[in-house]
Amino acid sequence: MSLAQVFTRAQCGVDAPLVRVEVHLSSGLPSLSLVGLPETAVKESKDRVRSALLNSGFDFPAKRITINLAPAELPKEGGRYDLAIALGILAASAQVPASALDQHEFIGELALSGQLQPVQGTLPVALMATQQQHRLVVPSANACEAALCPNVDVISASSLADVTAYLHGQQTLPQASPAAADSAPDLEVADLADVRGQQQAKRALEVAAAGQHNLLFIGPPGTGKTMLATRLPGILPPMSESEALQSASVQSLCGQSDWLQHWRQRPFRAPHHTASGVALVGGGMNPKPGEISLAHGGVLFLDELPEYSRKVLDVLREPLESGRIVISRARQSIEYPARFQLLAAMNPCPCGYFGDPNGRCRCTHEQVQRYQNQASGPLLDRIDLHVAVPPVALSQLQAQPSGESSAVVRQRVVAARERQQQRQGCTNGQLSSRQTEQVCQLNSSDHDWFSHTVEQLQLSARAYHRLLKIARTLADLAGSDAIQRAHLAEAIGYRALDRYLH
Ligand SMILES: [Zn+2]
């Protein structure tokens, strides 16, 4: 047979659409052409495939070789198609049985020696191949990652020769297994019990976790804002399998494997304020996911919020609403998931000590205003909870830690989330204004009291709805169907910045 076809997969965001590699040998001057609009990297694969075939002891056909990667409009970059192209040439020249390629998909880059090199994004490939009930062949280095997918049929090989021996029925290839990937998922998570003092801030973390509210800590340096922030993932509900796979699929596109040991843990990403817009939201020539997508299903922590460029913060508004980010390029738009919980921290002024009882702050009134205004605006509007984190007294720091562990707090969070799911099918943090009014009804005396208080504090209509949502979460944490006045009063306490800004 002089015509062969082999299946492989492209990478398109977290999708992995099927690509058909067609190889045709015809008589004429020996040549090799690749069609299907592949990019430079695919053209380079011609040279790698030729060397790999020769170094694995095969003949490189002295024919006119035409290779077509279909469909043509898909993005095709990187060496991920090498293995499929090499097998196509071998099948078309009858060096491997073409019928053995049926029901299989192949992915992997070839070294000149014929060894198989790992590629990025194997997990999305495995998820799609499983849906189609195809057996997937991957490089050995990608085996653990591909095997995270449930019910997957993945075998791994370390060289082209191994794959051809398998296709000839001369050798079996090892079935990939997820190693010890999901054992002891909680071991490394920082525990809330380690944080001394800061009762209000800890409570705010619990509320944020329970209602999926975004949260801002405001306080002088050295009060443990970062330490508190790193405790949030540990009190969030455990990820479901589909959530974990979605989050792992994004990590899989970045070509590092250190996430594999704790792939069931919610991610915690803390990009520095000097990070570029592309690093934060994703992009580049072949658009890569940014920090906000790597935080999908977990927490994005922005320390020293006013230090981030205003432009970068503005870009975060859309994914905060939609849970995804679309990166537009001339030829294609790539979409990445980006449903993260935002946690931010800031000093109250440039020196950090505004409001300090010992008068340590040396900033002028204008400096303080300018600093706070930098963080305010549309992004701040999307943060429900603003919480002051004051310095901790020395006696508390020296005391033995006595607070609750993350595991105990997490149980309450899980129970509160279940109440929300049953009542409205989403978390309180995700309620629209209209839904908020439906599920946050107050009795008339509480309503009057609340409206009056909000008016006195000169809060906006938006802030009014945010307070109601927080009060709803407080009621859920208490196991109460109705929002009570105590919940409303506590909620008002979580708007520290509104007070600062007056
Ligand atoms: Zn200051």
Side-chain angles (χ1 to χ4, degrees):
M1 205 222 278
S2 60
L3 181 68
Q5 79 170 12
V6 187
F7 291 119
T8 182
R9 286 189 183 269
Q11 183 203 315
C12 191
V14 285
D15 272 349
L18 193 69
V19 170
R20 205 171 61 243
V21 178
E22 298 167 325
V23 179
H24 181 226
L25 305 187
S26 54
S27 47
L29 277 180
S31 67
L32 194 157
S33 57
L34 261 167
V35 291
L37 286 185
E39 295 176 21
T40 330
V42 175
K43 293 195 176 110
E44 287 168 2
S45 105
K46 290 200 287 195
D47 298 329
R48 286 196 302 268
V49 168
R50 183 196 299 268
S51 298
L53 283 175
L54 294 173
N55 287 325
S56 304
F58 294 105
D59 292 330
F60 194 83
K63 299 260 182 137
R64 209 182 128 107
I65 306 173
T66 309
I67 300 170
N68 180 35
L69 271 62
E73 70 272 14
L74 286 173
K76 303 187 190 81
E77 44 109 5
R80 59 201 281 123
Y81 307 110
D82 287 1
L83 177 60
I85 291 172
L87 291 172
I89 294 173
L90 289 174
S93 56
Q95 298 185 78
V96 299
S99 60
L101 299 169
D102 286 352
Q103 307 299 317
H104 282 73
E105 292 177 18
F106 302 87
I107 193 155
E109 180 173 329
L110 285 170
L112 302 185
S113 62
Q115 294 294 305
L116 276 174
Q117 311 279 355
V119 297
Q120 294 171 6
T122 334
L123 178 58
V125 170
L127 287 163
M128 305 289 278
T130 304
Q131 274 179 20
Q132 213 139 354
Q133 297 185 311
H134 282 165
R135 169 173 278 193
L136 177 65
V137 182
V138 300
S140 299
N142 289 129
C144 289
E145 183 185 318
L148 296 183
C149 171
N151 308 318
V152 76
D153 184 3
V154 180
I155 50 177
S156 67
S158 52
S159 69
L160 176 62
D162 280 352
V163 179
T164 52
Y166 159 77
L167 293 170
H168 278 292
Q170 295 160 344
Q171 179 186 328
T172 58
L173 289 176
Q175 199 82 30
S177 65
D182 53 353
S183 66
D186 288 332
L187 273 185
E188 287 167 52
V189 175
D191 202 288
L192 203 57
D194 306 333
V195 183
R196 294 163 198 207
Q198 301 299 11
Q199 291 313 320
Q200 202 209 1
K202 284 196 232 176
R203 169 77 169 160
L205 265 187
E206 180 176 340
V207 177
Q212 210 178 16
H213 302 286
N214 299 321
L215 167 63
L216 171 68
F217 285 135
I218 310 148
T223 51
K225 298 187 295 268
T226 304
M227 190 181 186
L228 282 158
T230 54
R231 268 62 185 175
L232 181 55
I235 60 171
L236 288 170
M239 287 206 277
S240 69
E241 182 160 67
S242 73
E243 277 181 304
L245 283 170
Q246 237 193 2
S247 163
S249 289
V250 183
Q251 319 282 335
S252 164
L253 301 178
C254 294
Q256 288 150 0
S257 56
D258 49 354
W259 55 272
L260 264 168
Q261 295 95 21
H262 32 81
W263 72 283
R264 279 177 179 279
Q265 286 172 21
R266 291 189 184 271
F268 179 85
R269 306 293 302 191
H272 193 254
H273 59 76
T274 54
S276 67
V278 167
L280 210 64
V281 300
M285 271 279 283
N286 298 308
K288 290 266 173 234
E291 290 291 335
I292 61 169
S293 295
L294 290 166
H296 178 69
V299 176
L300 182 74
F301 177 48
L302 303 183
D303 198 5
E304 305 192 43
L305 188 65
E307 304 289 337
Y308 288 80
S309 95
R310 190 64 182 260
K311 224 174 99 192
V312 166
L313 293 185
D314 278 347
V315 185
L316 293 183
R317 282 155 49 197
E318 203 239 301
L320 272 171
E321 298 286 327
S322 64
R324 65 201 179 92
I325 180 89
V326 178
I327 300 164
S328 298
R329 285 290 171 275
R331 260 184 292 170
Q332 50 170 334
S333 287
I334 302 258
E335 183 182 314
Y336 287 113
R339 189 164 297 288
F340 55 87
Q341 198 164 346
L342 178 64
L343 192 49
M346 64 182 277
N347 295 335
C349 68
C351 85
Y353 294 101
F354 178 72
D356 185 276
N358 301 327
R360 286 167 76 185
C361 177
R362 295 269 173 265
C363 305
T364 64
H365 181 71
E366 286 73 28
Q367 280 175 317
V368 176
Q369 285 284 311
R370 202 179 322 126
Y371 188 77
Q372 294 186 347
N373 284 342
Q374 226 160 331
S376 65
L379 182 66
L380 211 56
D381 240 8
R382 285 166 173 79
I383 301 183
D384 291 348
L385 298 151
H386 304 161
V387 179
V389 185
V392 179
L394 196 60
S395 59
Q396 273 183 318
L397 283 179
Q398 286 164 340
Q400 283 299 311
S402 58
E404 289 177 308
S405 72
S406 293
V408 172
V409 176
R410 187 194 234 188
Q411 281 177 359
R412 287 197 297 269
V413 168
V414 168
R417 287 265 185 127
E418 271 166 15
R419 292 180 73 89
Q420 295 162 50
Q421 278 304 326
Q422 278 176 9
R423 183 177 59 232
Q424 69 221 20
C426 68
T427 58
N428 293 336
Q430 291 172 326
L431 290 173
S432 67
S433 304
R434 194 148 54 96
Q435 286 171 308
T436 305
E437 278 169 19
Q438 276 166 4
V439 300
C440 300
Q441 288 178 358
L442 306 176
N443 69 36
S444 68
S445 87
D446 284 350
H447 181 267
D448 293 347
W449 174 83
F450 185 54
S451 304
H452 180 70
T453 310
V454 167
E455 214 166 280
Q456 277 199 323
L457 292 171
Q458 299 177 4
L459 299 180
S460 65
R462 212 189 256 267
Y464 176 88
H465 281 115
R466 302 211 166 263
L467 286 173
L468 273 181
K469 286 198 251 187
I470 299 166
R472 183 62 262 172
T473 301
L474 292 166
D476 288 330
L477 274 170
S480 166
D481 285 336
I483 298 175
Q484 290 158 8
R485 192 171 292 195
H487 304 138
L488 293 168
E490 187 181 343
I492 290 167
Y494 295 126
R495 297 299 295 190
L497 198 65
D498 294 327
R499 282 202 303 277
Y500 266 123
L501 287 177
H502 278 296

